[in-house]
Amino acid sequence: MSEAFGSVLWLIVAIGILVTFHEFGHFWVARRCGVKVLRFSVGFGKPLWSRKDRHGTEFAIAAIPLGGYVKMLDEAEYEVPAAQLGQAFNRKPIWQRIAIVAAGPIANLILCVALLWVMFLIGKPDYSATLGPTQGLAAQAGLRDGDRLERIDGRSTETAMDALQVLMLAAIDHRDVAIQASDANGHEVQRKLALSRLPADFDQQNLEKAIGLVWHFQVAPATVGTVTPDSASAGLLQSGDQITAIDGQAVRYWNDIAPLVKQWGERGGEAMVEVDRQGERLALLMQPRQQLNPDTKQQAWVLGITPAPRKAPEHDALRRYGPLEAIPAAFRQTGRMASDSLAMMRRMLTGEASAKSISGAITIAQVANATAQQGPATFIFFLALLSLSLAILNLLPIPVLDGGHLLYYLIELVKGSPLSERSMVAGQYIGLALLAGLMGLAFYNDILRLVT
């Protein structure tokens, strides 16, 4: 399956599931409140399939699978027969109207918890918050290769993603954080990461680089891929050799090689390169040579080798619980995700967080495809996150969204009468303009990611 086709397919699957649950929330509560539902449509445009139930509701799957709607009997849209006025949405008490409108986002919130429960039952493979080589602020804080971040500012960080979520908000605030970690020997260590020293305009899209963090799963092993003919390594090193030491200094990762070779070359003379070749330990005598680096346009000491093609790193963390344990775990995870999302939204509104993090349909499609390839648990987590995002987005007090309608009803409660039609129409135009701007920004960010 091509990446483009897979992205479109999994986007349709994701949107179809989330929209169906969202609209079912409106539909289910509307029915309980005695409102006549005329149509329940998944997708927009011409129906590809439809049928009616005994209540006269048409269920349809439409041609454009990027949304859906529930159409209810309402005098605001057309004339309602006198015999059916009691079933019209606009004739219902305000608390019932509030319940019907709020039911969509609430359904997405419930779906998020349910999906996370299923994810925890299956078990989601992940990467622990274990560090590779550090530099910059991370190294200055005393964080070292092999340290595992256990808690940041008192919040548990079971995975690298957990750690990044906490660090991102603290970095935007330029707030120092206390870190509880365990080192490579299992000893507990306490560190303080001085995020207040980050530049005001640091790249929020590349937080690890700004801090100087590298996760252990991001670092390439020191495995030889190819050997350049007539180089220092020709006839000595072979493809597949695992370099373990250079001139008596241990090598763990591919990035360790260049500085050791530079130090060796500047010192001069021959030295030993120790390798593991299919379980056999060898010590090979050689001497590096200088050649022009095409990137820096400067002479560099090299061995004439390239790294082996890297395989996907193995997961070293598994988040799995029993049926009962998974219930509070799902609620905790939902609460944490909701808190982080709202905190990031607030920072975007104040201009503290970069608007580049807003993604549109293209990025969502790519992530949908990527997570689907990684297994059911990872795709379910993606669906849960998307469902929560849909719930939060729809509750924003923007006219044309559910939150905008709820705002109208709250105003009606306060003033004792509905807003004028003129005010509501003006609100609809404002809401459409805001949504168009948001969608335009998301699309721009998507295109920018593709071209860069």
Side-chain angles (χ1 to χ4, degrees):
M1 181 188 300
S2 70
E3 183 177 351
F5 178 76
S7 297
V8 172
L9 172 64
W10 289 111
L11 175 66
I12 292 173
V13 170
I15 295 298
I17 292 172
L18 301 185
V19 166
T20 299
F21 270 84
H22 181 93
E23 299 304 334
F24 181 78
H26 293 311
F27 167 80
W28 189 83
V29 175
R31 278 275 181 91
R32 296 306 175 276
C33 293
V35 174
K36 183 176 180 60
V37 179
L38 302 177
R39 176 180 289 175
F40 183 127
S41 177
V42 177
F44 298 111
K46 184 178 179 180
L48 301 176
W49 172 90
S50 67
R51 75 172 182 85
K52 287 190 175 182
D53 67 2
R54 59 188 179 86
H55 300 284
T57 301
E58 179 188 9
F59 293 87
I61 297 176
I64 306 173
L66 295 176
Y69 61 93
V70 168
K71 185 177 181 180
M72 290 175 274
L73 198 65
D74 194 327
E75 289 178 284
E77 296 187 23
Y78 36 75
E79 186 176 348
V80 177
Q84 296 182 330
L85 286 175
Q87 295 179 287
F89 173 80
N90 63 290
R91 292 292 183 110
K92 294 300 178 181
I94 190 168
W95 290 110
Q96 289 190 356
R97 283 180 277 147
I98 288 175
I100 293 169
V101 171
I106 291 173
N108 280 124
L109 190 61
I110 294 171
L111 176 61
C112 174
V113 175
L115 288 169
L116 290 173
W117 180 78
V118 174
M119 181 199 77
F120 284 131
L121 279 185
I122 297 173
K124 181 178 180 291
D126 218 320
Y127 297 106
S128 67
T130 304
L131 300 179
T134 60
Q135 54 187 347
L137 293 179
Q140 293 166 22
L143 294 170
R144 297 290 180 262
D145 183 11
D147 285 356
R148 180 166 181 159
L149 310 186
E150 306 286 355
R151 305 185 75 83
I152 301 177
D153 270 356
R155 178 164 154 178
S156 173
T157 52
E158 296 180 44
T159 67
M161 184 58 68
D162 291 339
L164 275 178
Q165 288 173 338
V166 184
L167 290 173
M168 176 58 80
L169 294 175
I172 292 172
D173 296 339
H174 286 79
R175 175 172 53 82
D176 297 346
V177 293
I179 294 179
Q180 177 185 324
S182 55
D183 63 20
N185 297 317
H187 301 137
E188 184 177 311
V189 293
Q190 304 288 335
R191 300 287 184 253
K192 186 174 183 179
L193 185 58
L195 297 178
S196 59
R197 295 170 56 190
L198 280 169
D201 59 347
F202 77 94
D203 184 3
Q204 296 179 16
Q205 302 302 302
N206 200 349
L207 178 63
E208 294 105 316
K209 184 177 181 181
I211 298 175
L213 289 179
V214 176
W215 303 110
H216 70 294
F217 59 86
Q218 295 175 324
V219 187
T223 305
V224 177
T226 61
V227 179
T228 305
D230 300 324
S231 67
S233 304
L236 296 171
L237 292 177
Q238 298 179 9
S239 176
D241 284 352
Q242 182 78 31
I243 299 177
T244 57
I246 292 177
D247 198 16
Q249 299 187 60
V251 172
R252 292 188 62 190
Y253 308 112
W254 186 265
N255 289 350
D256 295 336
I257 296 175
L260 292 178
V261 171
K262 178 183 178 182
Q263 179 182 329
W264 171 17
E266 291 174 347
R267 186 205 69 199
E270 296 182 325
M272 292 293 183
V273 175
E274 300 174 40
V275 302
D276 183 323
R277 182 176 294 166
Q278 297 181 350
E280 183 181 2
R281 303 300 296 269
L282 302 173
L284 307 172
L285 187 66
M286 62 182 74
Q287 184 173 355
R289 300 175 186 172
Q290 273 194 321
Q291 72 176 40
L292 184 67
N293 186 317
D295 296 324
T296 64
K297 307 300 182 184
Q298 295 179 348
Q299 293 290 324
W301 292 97
V302 297
L303 293 178
I305 55 176
T306 62
R310 194 175 173 210
K311 298 179 181 178
E314 294 185 5
H315 295 99
D316 63 341
L318 179 66
R319 306 182 72 177
R320 177 185 287 164
Y321 301 98
L324 295 180
E325 292 176 300
I327 296 173
F331 278 99
R332 284 196 305 269
Q333 184 69 26
T334 301
R336 176 180 287 192
M337 289 161 52
S339 174
D340 289 343
S341 297
L342 291 171
M344 185 60 73
M345 279 187 179
R346 179 177 66 80
R347 286 163 175 79
M348 285 184 185
L349 290 173
T350 59
E352 299 170 273
S354 172
K356 292 180 181 179
S357 57
I358 298 175
S359 301
I362 296 174
T363 298
I364 293 172
Q366 291 175 326
V367 176
N369 183 50
T371 54
Q373 306 309 314
Q374 294 173 32
T378 305
F379 184 67
I380 288 172
F381 176 74
F382 164 74
L383 283 179
L385 181 59
L386 204 57
S387 187
L388 177 64
S389 300
L390 186 61
I392 293 173
L393 179 65
N394 268 281
L395 286 174
L396 293 177
I398 299 175
V400 310
L401 296 179
D402 292 333
H405 292 296
L406 291 175
L407 178 62
Y408 287 158
Y409 299 146
L410 290 175
I411 294 173
E412 182 178 339
L413 274 175
V414 172
K415 69 189 292 283
S417 61
L419 278 173
S420 67
E421 185 176 345
R422 182 177 179 181
S423 297
M424 286 193 284
V425 169
Q428 298 292 333
Y429 281 121
I430 293 172
L432 286 171
L434 288 172
L435 278 184
L438 184 63
M439 291 173 65
L441 177 60
F443 183 70
Y444 171 78
N445 287 340
D446 283 355
I447 297 300
L448 194 63
R449 290 188 190 101
L450 286 177
V451 299
T452 57

